[in-house]
């Protein structure tokens, strides 16, 4: 993937046309090819055969000639240049033998069919390239759905509903439980818990009270609060994310033709070799019979870019991606494997990337040995109607252990502290240690929690029963993968919106990698840009919406798939697995796919050499046999590429 430049968007030409345009061109090219075959078979008027072939090449391959001309002006040799030379040479060679008296090259008198076949195949390949970049276009229109739409402005104790875009700095806004916070600001009245996953990536709701900052786009989970708007919506953090998403030029669309590399390394040497060979042959014959050598050059140039050659990369990539998908690795940008291999800096998000992103009950510590099940039952009874990450973890754990809750008669939720429930004659308290102590209960034996653990205390009728620990475990293979990346010469940096205590703990588990905590989305992206400005090739590995800007800015991006992966259409590689070994497998995948591409190039060239040798023979050759050789080369490349479907990583 290329880095962004500062060229204005309106002044930049697209690398590819819409996929539908190429598909139509390919279909019509095949139609014209069959018309040419029909005309040749029934020996129709020569002029008619030429007109059909020329129309197919210039109408449906004209975009190749235009792009080639632009590239030549920039002194670039690209696949468009190679294809244009091949197609034009095929037309000129066929015209010379159709309308002029020229010494015959072997037994062939025209290459119209295979030339039009080449146009059709190239359009098919370009359609696949263009389609790759169009998957995100429909998504762009939905990006604004994450922006707050309305707000409740309070003036003189009167509430008025307004559009979020009408918010002014200093406005007092009422945000009810379950509503989206309309812009960045701070709480002036109330206490609640805020789900900030979209901004910080933290899966756990944050307790907020008066004076604390809140972000637009986050969700008020518990109680009504009043906030003072710190800015208008267009200056908020969430608006910045959406704006960058819409304007980003590093979406999944290709901005470089993958075939250019092979045209330069394979096609250009072949053309130069042909030219040198023919000039030397003409020199040995004292440049007599120049029309014959001109015809020979055109003949060899026409076959220097066989239809199978255009398919070498796209088929290997297509079937390679199918094989990778069988290993739950979804390759969404075909250039990304090479970028991953070459990158020297890898940024990792923490929550949902290095860790699983899901809280789970790790253990239960009762004061009395036989109270373990009792603690879980009372905790579940109090939390049964709650929907936060803590209660969800508790419910999953109790379901596995066949523990069911009792009915409750009342429930009081204290944001940032815990819950107080009544069940029959029992009063149950479930919450953090400080709150339990404030309630006059002696909470003890809590000095064992790690920095990655959340401790939930449980008390019954003023008696402390014990506590439950919750953790967000690191992914299987995280330590091994980080060590392997280091051995490959890549620098690892951990960046997260979480607090320093938790991020530092995870950093220690990974061998003490450098880390940055409390990093907001734009700051993550800025770190990526800064590294790129220093000449680094950067990979970003994340999972949440808060990582999108950094994922888009990076030279290549990888994300772990989750139910909240709103950004999944924008990343280069999407992993649908629980472990981190996938990153280690990308190198093997690149090696296998790249090897298959080289095999396909060899196959296409071998069939082309055989075709040329056959045509230069003095035997009887028809244009149909030329096309048959081209089709056989295509079939051979397809069969070789299809082997990648069964990749085992």
């Amino acid at each position: 993937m290329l880095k962004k430049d500062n060229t204005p968007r309106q002044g930049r030409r697209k690398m590819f046309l819409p996929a539908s345009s190429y598909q139509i061109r390919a279909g019509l090219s095949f139609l014209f090819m069959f018309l040419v075959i029909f005309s040749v078979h029934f020996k129709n008027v020569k002029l008619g055969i030429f007109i059909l072939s020329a129309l197919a090449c210039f109408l449906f391959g004209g975009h190749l000639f235009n792009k080639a001309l632009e590239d030549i002006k920039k002194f670039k040799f690209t696949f468009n240049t190679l294809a244009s030379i091949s197609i034009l040479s095929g037309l000129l060679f066929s015209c010379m033998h159709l309308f002029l008296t020229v010494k015959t090259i072997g037994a062939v008198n025209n290459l119209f069919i295979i030339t039009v076949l080449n146009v059709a195949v190239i359009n098919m390949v370009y359609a696949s390239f263009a389609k790759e970049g169009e998957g995100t276009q429909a998504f762009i229109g939905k990006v604004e759905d994450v922006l707050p739409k309305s707000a409740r402005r309070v003036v003189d104790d009167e509430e008025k509903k307004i559009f979020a875009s009408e918010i002014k700095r200093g406005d007092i806004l009422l945000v009810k439980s379950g509503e989206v916070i309309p812009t960045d600001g701070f709480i002036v009245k109330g206490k609640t818990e805020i789900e900030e996953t979209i901004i910080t990536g933290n899966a756990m709701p944050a307790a907020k009270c008066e004076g604390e900052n809140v972000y637009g786009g986050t969700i008020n989970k518990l109680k009504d609060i009043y906030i003072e708007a710190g800015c208008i919506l267009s200056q908020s953090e969430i608006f910045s994310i959406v704006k960058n998403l819409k304007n980003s030029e590093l979406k999944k669309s290709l901005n470089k033709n993958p075939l250019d590399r092979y045209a330069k390394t394979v096609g250009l040497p072949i053309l130069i070799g042909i030219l040198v060979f023919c000039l030397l042959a003409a020199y040995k014959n004292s440049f007599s019979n120049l029309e014959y050598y001109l015809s020979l050059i055109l003949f060899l140039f026409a076959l220097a870019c066989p239809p199978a050659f255009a398919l070498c990369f796209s088929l290997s990539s297509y079937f390679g991606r199918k094989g990778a998908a069988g290993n739950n690795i979804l390759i969404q940008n075909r250039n990304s494997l090479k970028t991953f291999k070459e990158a020297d800096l890898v940024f990792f998000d923490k929550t949902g990337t290095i860790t699983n992103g899901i809280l789970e009950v790790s253990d239960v510590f009762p004061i009395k040995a036989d109270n373990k099940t009792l603690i879980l039952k009372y905790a579940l009874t109090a939390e049964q109607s709650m929907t936060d990450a803590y209660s969800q973890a508790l419910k999953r754990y109790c379901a596995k252990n066949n523990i069911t809750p009792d009915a409750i008669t009342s429930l009081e939720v204290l944001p940032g502290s815990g819950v107080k429930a009544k069940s029959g004659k029992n009063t149950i308290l479930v919450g953090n240690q400080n709150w339990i102590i404030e309630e006059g209960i002696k909470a003890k034996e809590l000095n064992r929690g790690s920095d990655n653990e959340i401790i939930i205390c449980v008390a019954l009728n003023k008696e402390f029963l014990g506590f439950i620990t919750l953790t967000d475990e690191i992914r299987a293979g995280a330590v091994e993968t980080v060590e392997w990346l280091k051995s490959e010469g890549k620098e690892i940096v951990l960046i997260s919106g979480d607090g320093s205590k938790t991020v530092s703990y995870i950093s220690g588990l990974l061998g003490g990698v450098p880390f940055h905590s409390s990093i907001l989305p734009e700051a993550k992206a800025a770190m990526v840009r800064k590294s790129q400005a220093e000449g680094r090739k950067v990979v970003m590995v994340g999972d949440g919406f808060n990582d999108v800007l950094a994922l888009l800015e990076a030279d290549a991006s990888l994300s772990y798939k989750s139910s909240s992966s709103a950004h999944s259409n924008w990343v280069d590689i999407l992993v649908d697995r629980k472990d981190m070994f996938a990153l280690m497998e990308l190198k093997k995948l690149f090696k296998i796919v790249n090897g298959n591409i080289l095999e396909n190039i060899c196959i296409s060239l071998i069939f082309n050499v055989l075709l040329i040798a056959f045509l230069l023979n003095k035997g009887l050759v028809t244009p149909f046999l030329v096309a048959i050789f081209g089709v056989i080369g295509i079939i051979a490349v397809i069969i070789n590429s299809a082997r990648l479907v069964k990749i085992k990583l």
Side-chain angles (χ1 to χ4, degrees):
M1 185 182 292
L2 292 177
K3 296 179 183 178
K4 289 198 300 184
D5 60 47
N6 296 318
T7 307
R9 289 177 63 87
Q10 64 269 24
R12 189 174 300 170
R13 296 180 65 91
K14 292 183 178 180
M15 178 60 64
F16 295 104
L17 300 171
S20 58
S21 175
Y22 290 119
Q23 290 167 345
I24 292 171
R25 291 165 192 255
L28 292 174
S29 297
F30 279 118
L31 175 62
F32 270 67
M33 186 185 74
F34 287 118
L35 291 175
V36 172
I37 291 174
F38 179 86
S39 300
V40 171
H41 179 73
F42 290 100
K43 299 180 180 178
N44 290 342
V45 179
K46 294 179 180 180
L47 182 60
I49 297 173
F50 166 73
I51 290 174
L52 283 173
S53 302
L55 282 175
C57 292
F58 286 101
L59 286 180
F60 313 129
H63 59 92
L64 296 173
F65 306 140
N66 291 333
K67 293 287 186 181
L69 189 59
E70 291 179 13
D71 294 335
I72 290 171
K73 289 178 180 178
K74 297 174 184 177
F75 299 99
K76 292 182 179 179
F77 188 90
T78 62
F79 180 78
N80 290 321
T81 311
L82 175 64
S84 298
I85 290 172
S86 177
I87 293 167
L88 291 174
S89 296
L91 282 177
L92 288 173
F93 171 84
S94 302
C95 288
M96 288 179 69
H97 284 263
L98 204 60
F99 300 114
L100 304 176
T101 303
V102 179
K103 185 176 180 181
T104 303
I105 305 268
V108 66
N109 59 7
N110 78 74
L111 297 173
F112 283 133
I113 297 175
I114 197 168
T115 299
V116 178
L117 174 63
N118 211 358
V119 173
V121 170
I122 291 171
N123 276 310
M124 285 177 57
V125 172
Y126 277 20
S128 71
F129 291 166
K131 195 170 184 180
E132 182 174 308
E134 293 178 0
T136 59
Q137 296 305 310
F139 183 67
I140 293 175
K142 299 179 180 179
V143 169
E144 289 189 352
D145 289 347
V146 302
L147 286 175
K149 301 297 185 294
S150 62
R152 301 175 189 271
R153 180 188 286 158
V154 178
V155 181
D156 297 329
D157 295 328
E158 289 188 10
E159 173 192 327
K160 180 182 180 182
K161 203 158 187 180
I162 61 173
F163 289 110
S165 57
E166 296 179 291
I167 295 172
K168 298 177 182 178
R169 184 173 182 176
D171 281 351
I172 302 300
L173 308 171
L174 168 63
V175 184
K176 294 188 176 183
S177 174
E179 291 184 344
V180 175
I181 292 176
T183 189
D184 298 353
F186 59 92
I187 298 175
V188 293
K189 182 180 179 181
K191 185 177 182 181
T192 188
E193 288 186 358
I194 307 291
E195 183 182 300
E196 297 183 326
T197 307
I198 198 169
I199 298 294
T200 67
N202 195 335
M204 294 167 282
K208 298 282 185 176
C209 59
E210 291 181 11
E212 294 195 85
N213 291 331
V214 292
Y215 298 101
T218 59
I219 302 172
N220 180 15
K221 297 294 289 184
L222 290 181
K223 295 189 174 183
D224 296 356
I225 56 173
Y226 290 85
I227 71 169
E228 180 177 323
C231 62
I232 60 176
L233 178 61
S234 61
Q235 295 173 341
S236 66
E237 189 74 24
I238 189 66
F239 193 91
S240 174
I241 295 175
V242 170
K243 180 181 178 181
N244 280 279
L245 279 173
K246 293 181 69 176
N247 294 335
S248 174
E249 296 172 286
L250 291 176
K251 296 190 295 287
K252 204 176 60 177
S253 57
L254 286 170
N255 50 18
K256 185 177 181 180
N257 189 335
L259 292 171
D260 288 349
R261 174 188 172 194
Y262 302 100
K264 188 181 296 184
T265 57
V266 178
L268 182 58
I270 288 175
L271 293 183
I272 293 173
I274 289 170
L275 197 58
V276 171
F277 169 78
C278 292
L279 289 176
L280 287 175
Y283 175 76
K284 288 182 179 179
N285 287 279
S286 302
F287 294 101
S288 60
N289 201 10
L290 281 177
E291 70 276 8
Y292 169 79
Y293 290 106
L294 177 60
S295 178
L296 180 61
I297 289 173
L298 292 174
F299 171 76
L300 295 176
F301 273 14
L303 298 178
C305 180
F309 184 82
L311 291 167
C312 291
F313 180 86
S314 59
L315 286 176
S316 294
S317 297
Y318 174 78
F319 287 110
R321 293 201 285 187
K322 289 288 185 183
N327 292 271
N328 295 314
I329 300 174
L330 309 179
I331 309 296
Q332 302 188 133
N333 183 325
R334 40 181 106 217
N335 289 327
S336 57
L337 288 177
K338 182 174 181 288
T339 307
F340 264 90
K341 179 177 179 295
E342 296 173 347
D344 57 354
L345 174 59
V346 182
F347 284 111
F348 280 97
D349 174 51
K350 183 189 78 69
T351 306
T353 304
I354 293 295
T355 67
N356 291 312
I358 301 174
L359 283 177
E360 297 289 354
V361 173
S362 54
D363 213 337
V364 181
F365 297 89
I367 296 300
K368 297 179 182 179
D370 57 348
N371 274 3
K372 186 171 182 178
T373 301
L374 201 61
I375 288 177
L376 290 167
K377 186 175 184 67
Y378 282 127
L380 181 62
T381 297
E383 296 275 356
Q384 61 184 288
S385 62
M386 303 297 290
T387 59
D388 56 77
Y390 313 111
S391 59
Q392 293 298 328
L394 181 63
K395 290 174 184 177
R396 287 193 297 270
Y397 189 81
C398 289
K400 290 178 184 177
N401 290 277
N402 299 315
I403 297 172
T404 56
D406 293 331
I408 59 175
T409 55
S410 68
L411 177 69
E412 182 182 0
V413 180
L414 294 95
S417 298
V419 297
K420 181 186 292 186
K422 284 191 177 293
S423 176
K425 295 181 180 180
N426 294 320
T427 300
I428 307 167
L429 276 66
V430 180
N432 62 50
Q433 181 185 13
N434 291 335
W435 175 61
I436 293 289
I437 293 173
E438 288 173 5
E439 292 291 318
I441 300 169
K442 293 183 178 180
K444 51 188 175 181
E445 298 186 20
L446 295 183
N447 57 351
R448 58 153 313 279
S450 75
D451 290 336
N452 197 43
E453 281 184 333
I454 295 171
I455 295 176
I456 306 297
C457 299
V458 182
L460 177 69
N461 300 325
K462 296 292 183 176
E463 180 187 354
F464 181 58
L465 299 182
F467 58 92
I468 302 168
T469 57
L470 306 176
T471 57
D472 180 9
E473 299 289 346
I474 67 170
R475 287 185 187 273
V479 175
E480 295 87 341
T481 299
V482 168
E483 286 301 316
W484 177 79
L485 289 169
K486 288 179 181 178
S487 70
E488 291 286 306
K490 303 184 191 302
E491 181 184 350
I492 310 299
V493 178
L494 188 62
I495 52 177
S496 174
D498 287 352
S500 60
K501 187 176 180 181
T502 303
V503 182
S504 174
Y505 175 81
I506 296 298
S507 170
L509 294 180
L510 299 176
V513 300
F515 70 90
H516 299 272
S517 59
S518 302
I519 302 295
L520 295 179
E522 181 56 44
K524 288 184 179 182
M527 291 178 68
V528 171
R529 289 193 295 268
K530 181 176 182 294
S531 298
Q532 290 171 326
E534 294 170 353
R536 312 290 296 275
K537 184 163 284 192
V538 180
V539 167
M540 175 66 195
V541 185
D543 85 303
F545 190 85
N546 62 306
D547 299 321
V548 172
L549 297 184
L551 290 166
L552 291 171
E553 291 289 351
D555 296 289
S557 57
L558 182 145
S559 176
Y560 279 87
K561 191 174 184 180
S562 69
S563 58
S564 61
S565 295
H567 62 289
S568 60
N569 286 329
W570 302 78
V571 297
D572 298 320
I573 298 177
L574 193 62
V575 179
D576 191 11
R577 280 163 47 173
K578 298 296 184 184
D579 64 86
M580 284 198 70
F581 292 111
L583 273 75
M584 300 172 67
E585 295 169 1
L586 293 178
K587 181 180 179 180
K588 181 179 179 182
L589 181 62
F590 171 76
K591 185 177 180 181
I592 293 172
V593 173
N594 202 51
N596 190 263
I597 292 172
L598 297 176
E599 290 170 3
N600 284 342
I601 290 174
C602 291
I603 289 171
S604 68
L605 293 179
I606 287 171
F607 272 94
N608 217 40
V609 170
L610 292 174
L611 171 62
I612 291 170
F614 186 66
L615 295 180
L616 290 177
N617 192 10
K618 297 297 182 181
L620 181 63
V621 179
T622 67
F624 302 106
L625 289 176
V626 178
I628 287 171
F629 262 92
V631 171
I632 291 174
I634 291 173
I635 293 172
V637 168
I638 293 173
I639 292 172
N640 185 59
S641 301
R643 296 186 299 110
L644 296 178
V645 172
K646 297 182 179 180
I647 289 177
K648 296 297 179 184
L649 299 174

